[in-house]
Amino acid sequence: MDTEDRIPVFDLQAMRDRAPVFSGRDAAGEVLAGMLQDYRESGALVLAIPAGGVAVGAPIAKRLHLDLDVAVVNKITPPWNAEWGFGAVAF
């Protein structure tokens, strides 16, 4: 893998040893938007998964001046526990 192909790793010291890490999903979106500043006004599209993902994606799209859309998916769960998610599928 070439150096320019590497995905950056962010180590945010302020986020260490916190429980909960974020005060809410919108706060998580603000932190993530800070990590994605290279995409500001790039024409990229922020895709969010309902229900929790939209609350994270909206502040990202707003702060980076990007379009926001919703990716409607169905969670893949094991038959013995509908709360566990092992993936998602879209039509």
Side-chain angles (χ1 to χ4, degrees):
M1 181 181 282
D2 293 335
T3 304
E4 64 260 5
D5 293 335
R6 292 188 183 156
I7 298 170
V9 175
F10 295 90
D11 182 11
L12 304 177
Q13 297 289 327
M15 298 304 198
R16 290 186 176 191
D17 300 321
R18 289 179 57 182
V21 176
F22 304 105
S23 60
R25 289 189 170 117
D26 56 335
E30 289 291 339
V31 171
L32 187 53
M35 295 177 187
L36 298 171
Q37 283 297 313
D38 289 348
Y39 294 96
R40 183 179 183 82
E41 297 180 356
S42 68
L45 176 64
V46 177
L47 286 174
I49 299 171
V54 175
V56 176
I60 295 169
K62 182 177 180 180
R63 187 166 156 194
L64 300 180
H65 303 278
L66 299 173
D67 289 335
L68 172 67
D69 203 350
V70 177
V72 180
V73 299
N74 289 326
K75 181 168 61 171
I76 300 171
T77 62
W80 59 87
N81 189 329
E83 294 300 314
W84 293 357
F86 287 97
V89 64
F91 297 99

